[in-house]
Amino acid sequence: MIRDLVAKIGPIQITSTCGGRHARRSQHYRGKAIDFRPLATSTRAAVAAAKALESTGGIGSYPNGIVHADVGEREFAWFGHKRRSRQVAYAPRRSR
């Protein structure tokens, strides 16, 4: 997924993988998620490109420009920082 994403949007700075603190049951702990900062495009364009990848499950973005992408079992999209103010969208998993 990372290789395909970089091919679409250019270089990224990975800010988080499986270490550190994450939400309970996070895909980070399973080695299936990254947080990154796009270096050659906007956060919005990076989110759109990640959503377009067949291998991507969850996508999220923070106000500070960091994007979350995972290859989890369900498609999930969110943006915002605090849980109560996040906007969330679920979609059925695309058939492969």
Side-chain angles (χ1 to χ4, degrees):
M1 185 255 305
I2 297 170
R3 188 176 324 132
D4 293 340
L5 183 63
V6 169
K8 284 183 172 247
I9 67 167
I12 62 173
Q13 174 188 22
I14 296 176
T15 60
S16 182
T17 55
C18 50
R21 292 176 47 202
H22 303 285
R24 200 172 359 151
R25 295 186 304 270
S26 169
Q27 294 295 328
H28 285 281
Y29 294 129
R30 296 180 180 99
K32 294 183 174 186
I34 62 167
D35 292 340
F36 68 93
R37 184 180 310 279
L39 300 177
T41 191
S42 69
T43 300
R44 180 176 285 186
V47 167
K51 283 182 180 179
L53 296 175
E54 188 175 318
S55 60
T56 305
I59 303 295
S61 65
Y62 294 98
N64 65 359
I66 292 186
V67 178
H68 167 93
D70 69 56
V71 293
E73 297 301 318
R74 64 180 177 166
E75 290 185 8
F76 181 80
W78 55 267
F79 62 94
H81 185 67
K82 297 185 182 205
R83 288 180 191 259
R84 67 180 161 269
S85 64
R86 282 186 182 168
Q87 295 186 13
V88 180
Y90 293 93
R93 191 72 172 154
R94 294 179 293 249
S95 60
R96 307 232 177 221

